[in-house]
Amino acid sequence: MGHSSSIAMGIALAKPSKTVYCFDGDGAFLMHMGAAAQIGQRNIHNFKHILLNNGSHDSVGGQPTVGFGVDFVEIAKACGYKYAISVSTKEELEEAFPRFAASEGPAFFEIKLSRKTRNRSRKAKG
């Protein structure tokens, strides 16, 4: 669990002509905040960080995190990300994502989700 931002940082540094999108969870981000500081301070222009904040460690059992009580946008800015935004509705996401995608990195995009979103979608299918 975790380390996606560190791995994506390495890829972005190795391939500066490619835009690298990192998908991260709130629990993993909280456990590996040092990576955000490295990303921001290295000024990795091709790094796009997408945080899926559902307030839980959903991939390993759904234990709650403090994700909904943390201002991840302010943390990203404090770490040196050039662009940081948070959205919580589909409409906000659709409006904000093009600006995020067009921004110079490092850029941060938090998407606030309901807990157990992954499990609900599985149940709906079967």
Side-chain angles (χ1 to χ4, degrees):
M1 177 171 47
H3 302 295
S4 64
S5 57
S6 295
I7 294 166
M9 175 178 56
I11 295 168
L13 289 169
K15 305 225 178 241
S17 64
K18 302 282 185 183
T19 300
V20 176
Y21 284 85
C22 171
F23 291 85
D24 212 351
D26 58 297
F29 187 93
L30 289 165
M31 288 190 296
H32 305 288
M33 268 201 262
Q38 288 292 323
I39 292 161
Q41 294 304 301
R42 290 174 187 251
N43 196 26
I44 305 172
H45 73 280
N46 58 329
F47 190 91
K48 307 287 185 172
H49 202 157
I50 298 174
L51 181 73
L52 304 173
N53 182 358
N54 65 353
S56 69
H57 293 286
D58 211 13
S59 66
V60 293
Q63 301 86 351
T65 68
V66 296
F68 292 140
V70 173
D71 191 336
F72 289 107
V73 168
E74 287 302 315
I75 290 169
K77 288 178 182 177
C79 287
Y81 282 70
K82 290 183 177 177
Y83 182 89
I85 191 167
S86 178
V87 299
S88 56
T89 67
K90 179 181 176 185
E91 294 76 23
E92 289 174 343
L93 188 147
E94 289 172 345
E95 180 186 329
F97 191 81
R99 287 192 312 272
F100 164 74
S103 68
E104 184 175 341
F108 183 85
F109 194 82
E110 176 188 21
I111 304 169
K112 292 182 180 174
L113 305 167
S114 300
R115 289 193 69 206
K116 301 287 184 184
T117 302
R118 187 174 66 104
N119 293 335
R120 272 199 295 267
S121 65
R122 248 192 273 151
K123 288 178 186 175
K125 291 179 183 177

